[in-house]
Amino acid sequence: MYAIVRTGGKQYQVAAGDQVRVEKLEGNVGDSVDLTEVLLVADGEEIQVGQPLLENCKVTAKIAEQGKAKKVIVFKKKRRKGYQKSNGHRQRFTKLKIDSISI
């Protein structure tokens, strides 16, 4: 059994026991999170597709980690003008451990 959920503007395919890195969610490590934006649930041969979301479906997960991704360097330069600028960015993420999918 798996589901496709939407969080942080992205879609993820999850199953019970999976660990998924998603965009930052509020909460502490060990807190329980309900993902209610479920787009699709597949259980063997039976597939339910929402229009766009499924009613009364949710995916429960626990927050396993809050962290930052590796640094991405942004470098800008204009030739022959003496202009160059360097900037770094570390995106925050939340790692979720999927507990169950309820229909």
Side-chain angles (χ1 to χ4, degrees), residues 75-91:
F75 184 73
K76 298 179 179 181
K77 180 179 172 137
K78 296 191 178 182
R79 64 182 191 162
R80 298 187 304 267
K81 303 298 179 196
Y83 170 81
Q84 57 185 14
K85 183 177 181 179
S86 181
N87 195 5
H89 175 72
R90 292 184 69 187
Q91 184 68 34

Side-chain angles (χ1 to χ4, degrees), residues 55-90:
E55 300 284 326
N56 304 322
C57 287
K58 69 178 179 177
V59 174
T60 57
K62 284 196 189 286
I63 297 177
E65 181 184 353
Q66 297 276 25
K68 289 183 178 181
K70 286 188 170 184
K71 183 175 275 194
V72 177
I73 302 297
V74 179
F75 184 73
K76 298 179 179 181
K77 180 179 172 137
K78 296 191 178 182
R79 64 182 191 162
R80 298 187 304 267
K81 303 298 179 196
Y83 170 81
Q84 57 185 14
K85 183 177 181 179
S86 181
N87 195 5
H89 175 72
R90 292 184 69 187

Side-chain angles (χ1 to χ4, degrees), residues 2-94:
Y2 69 91
I4 296 180
V5 296
R6 180 173 63 195
T7 179
K10 299 178 178 74
Q11 297 176 7
Y12 301 93
Q13 179 177 333
V14 297
D18 286 353
Q19 288 195 352
V20 182
R21 278 175 69 164
V22 299
E23 297 293 321
K24 172 112 171 76
L25 297 174
E26 294 299 321
N28 298 321
V29 175
D31 288 351
S32 182
V33 176
D34 289 335
L35 303 174
T36 56
E37 292 189 6
V38 180
L39 304 170
L40 179 139
V41 173
D43 188 9
E45 294 295 319
E46 182 182 333
I47 297 175
Q48 297 178 8
V49 180
Q51 298 291 338
L53 300 176
L54 286 171
E55 300 284 326
N56 304 322
C57 287
K58 69 178 179 177
V59 174
T60 57
K62 284 196 189 286
I63 297 177
E65 181 184 353
Q66 297 276 25
K68 289 183 178 181
K70 286 188 170 184
K71 183 175 275 194
V72 177
I73 302 297
V74 179
F75 184 73
K76 298 179 179 181
K77 180 179 172 137
K78 296 191 178 182
R79 64 182 191 162
R80 298 187 304 267
K81 303 298 179 196
Y83 170 81
Q84 57 185 14
K85 183 177 181 179
S86 181
N87 195 5
H89 175 72
R90 292 184 69 187
Q91 184 68 34
R92 295 176 183 264
F93 70 88
T94 300

